[in-house]
Amino acid sequence: MSDQVRIGMIGVGQIGKRHVQGYLGEPGGPKAIPDANIVAICDVNEAEARRVAELYGVKDVYTDYKELLKRDDIQSVDVALHNRFHMPVTVDALEAGKNVYCEKPMSWAYREAVRMYETAKATGKMLHIQLGTLYATEAKAAKRLIDEGRLGDIYFAKSVHYRRRGRPWVDGYGSPAFVNTATSGGGAMLDMAVYHIARIVWLLGNPEVVSVSGKTYQKIDMYADRRESGRYNVEELGMGFIRMANDIVFSMEESWAIHAKDPNEDRVYGSKAGLRVEPLEYYTTMSDLELDGQFDLRAAEFRWLMCDPTYQYYANSQVHWIAAQQGKVPLLDTAGVALKTALISEGIYLSNMLGREVTMDEIAAADADTYRL
């Protein structure tokens, strides 16, 4: 099929407006994705919904997403709401016969993510999670190297990503909704770590999780008035050690604020070679000589774009989403990757609460409402 994909936009706050721009480009300019057509916008803030709709020439505005879901001329919806609302809106949309594009994280809690995944399977509709780090040229090239066996037997991966002082709200950007469990469900683990855990899971081929050990902290001082007005009750630092199938271990650290100057990096190590994702670097031994290698990604991407007619449909998450709905390429299993990411995140929270390593079965049985409030 090649007709335009008709989209209902649910949520046009800070992130939702980015999604709109990702489809439609700058107001009054050319479309970013020519085959994307937003035909309706919904937000509980009617004034903002109407402002955004007028800016982009969208005719229909709703304040109740269930009214939008009644329309049979909408093929898919984009859910750009706070974390706690991802599951109920996504499930309703899937059951209404819509394909769903959902902002990360998949949900604030693993059990809710499972329900989203299972509903998509039961309804036969498409579910895509915004995992933007999968589409970087470096990540796609690293995936090629790994899938072709260039690293040999992979046994260790790690991810370290720090901000020096970049907490939402208290450090000057975003809204209190990012730092309150009532809306966000968590802090740096759900805002930042999702991207990097997901990329490692994807690079490794989404192996099963055996157990998780983790710890979270909130230690760095912040403006007292911002702490109070934001009701800041989420973690600014999360770390985990994850045992996976095939004797693979994965360590991760993610922080909104920390007194450090560590490099931000994702790495994968194997018996034949190791790599750093961004910038893409390759480390191996040849003829008893240690070799550190780099790649001409600019030339490679030009060639892939010119010679592979499908490569353009992996430019970013939204481009891929539209193309997959049109049948131009298979949909990446971002729902499966995001589900595993939610499992790991939940494991870190649960391990932090219990003070010990937790198993996959324990994570699956956990009720986040009882310990992550």
Side-chain angles (χ1 to χ4, degrees):
M1 58 186 293
S2 60
D3 292 339
Q4 287 191 338
V5 176
R6 295 173 63 85
I7 303 164
M9 190 73 214
I10 303 178
V12 287
Q14 178 180 330
I15 301 302
K17 283 190 278 287
R18 292 183 189 176
H19 287 209
V20 173
Q21 188 172 3
Y23 295 121
L24 303 184
E26 295 287 347
K31 275 189 177 181
I33 307 176
D35 287 341
N37 184 14
I38 297 179
V39 298
I41 286 176
C42 178
D43 198 288
V44 292
N45 184 338
E46 183 175 2
E48 182 64 3
R50 292 196 178 280
R51 188 190 71 82
V52 174
E54 183 177 354
L55 198 62
Y56 285 94
V58 178
K59 179 182 176 183
D60 296 326
V61 172
Y62 298 85
T63 56
D64 182 348
Y65 76 90
K66 292 183 179 180
E67 292 301 312
L68 182 150
L69 295 180
K70 292 177 181 179
R71 291 179 52 161
D72 58 11
D73 64 331
I74 290 177
Q75 179 179 345
S76 70
V77 298
D78 185 314
V79 178
L81 303 171
H82 294 302
N83 302 343
R84 288 260 191 170
F85 304 121
H86 287 185
M87 184 278 289
V89 177
T90 293
V91 167
D92 284 348
L94 290 168
E95 291 179 343
K98 315 301 183 188
N99 297 323
V100 178
Y101 180 85
C102 184
E103 174 61 22
K104 62 78 188 169
M106 192 168 183
S107 178
W108 76 284
Y110 175 65
R111 291 175 77 173
E112 292 194 358
V114 170
R115 185 173 175 190
M116 294 166 67
Y117 187 83
E118 291 180 345
T119 302
K121 293 296 183 184
T123 59
K125 306 310 295 183
M126 302 170 78
L127 174 60
H128 190 48
I129 310 300
Q130 190 280 107
L131 298 174
T133 51
L134 307 190
Y135 304 89
T137 304
E138 293 86 351
K140 290 180 285 190
K143 182 69 169 166
R144 286 175 179 247
L145 292 168
I146 291 169
D147 288 351
E148 290 181 6
R150 302 294 181 179
L151 271 62
D153 181 18
I154 292 172
Y155 57 91
F156 177 39
K158 70 175 183 179
S159 175
V160 179
H161 291 268
Y162 291 161
R163 293 179 187 171
R164 187 64 179 267
R165 192 174 171 187
R167 296 159 295 192
W169 187 243
V170 299
D171 290 328
Y173 82 98
S175 70
F178 283 91
V179 296
N180 191 302
T181 55
T183 45
S184 68
M189 286 297 302
L190 299 185
D191 181 44
M192 291 173 55
V194 168
Y195 283 127
H196 308 117
I197 295 172
R199 181 149 74 176
I200 292 294
V201 167
W202 174 67
L203 288 173
L204 296 179
N206 200 2
E208 292 300 315
V209 169
V210 177
S211 65
V212 178
S213 182
K215 191 76 178 74
T216 66
Y217 290 96
Q218 185 199 111
K219 292 287 189 178
I220 307 298
D221 287 343
M222 63 188 77
Y223 299 128
D225 61 328
R226 285 271 168 152
R227 178 194 287 274
E228 183 178 354
S229 62
R231 298 182 180 179
Y232 198 114
N233 60 359
V234 297
E235 80 286 348
E236 66 194 11
L237 168 65
M239 59 189 74
F241 183 82
I242 301 96
R243 298 179 187 274
M244 310 179 95
N246 304 318
D247 200 30
I248 298 172
V249 295
F250 167 36
S251 70
M252 59 75 54
E253 303 167 24
E254 197 87 29
S255 187
W256 272 339
I258 191 169
H259 298 305
K261 199 176 181 181
D262 295 47
N264 291 322
E265 58 182 17
D266 299 316
R267 292 180 181 262
V268 181
Y269 301 92
S271 58
K272 294 181 179 179
L275 63 77
R276 179 184 182 184
V277 180
E278 289 185 272
L280 184 60
E281 298 173 343
Y282 183 79
Y283 315 103
T284 190
T285 299
M286 295 177 62
S287 301
D288 201 28
L289 299 168
E290 280 61 54
L291 171 68
D292 296 352
Q294 296 180 323
F295 300 89
D296 188 346
L297 293 183
R298 183 176 180 181
E301 184 152 68
F302 173 81
R303 184 174 64 254
W304 297 336
L305 281 167
M306 295 298 102
C307 300
D308 179 356
T310 67
Y311 187 78
Q312 62 182 306
Y313 302 125
Y314 297 90
N316 63 52
S317 181
Q318 287 173 272
V319 165
H320 178 66
W321 172 235
I322 297 301
Q325 288 182 92
Q326 294 179 308
K328 294 176 179 177
V329 290
L331 182 67
L332 291 175
D333 185 24
T334 54
V337 170
L339 183 63
K340 190 65 58 62
T341 300
L343 176 73
I344 292 170
S345 300
E346 193 72 68
I348 290 171
Y349 286 124
L350 182 62
S351 175
N352 177 72
M353 189 270 290
L354 296 176
R356 62 171 174 80
E357 188 173 45
V358 294
T359 66
M360 183 175 177
D361 289 342
E362 287 179 303
I363 300 167
D367 181 358
D369 276 313
T370 66
Y371 64 91
R372 188 149 46 102
L373 302 175

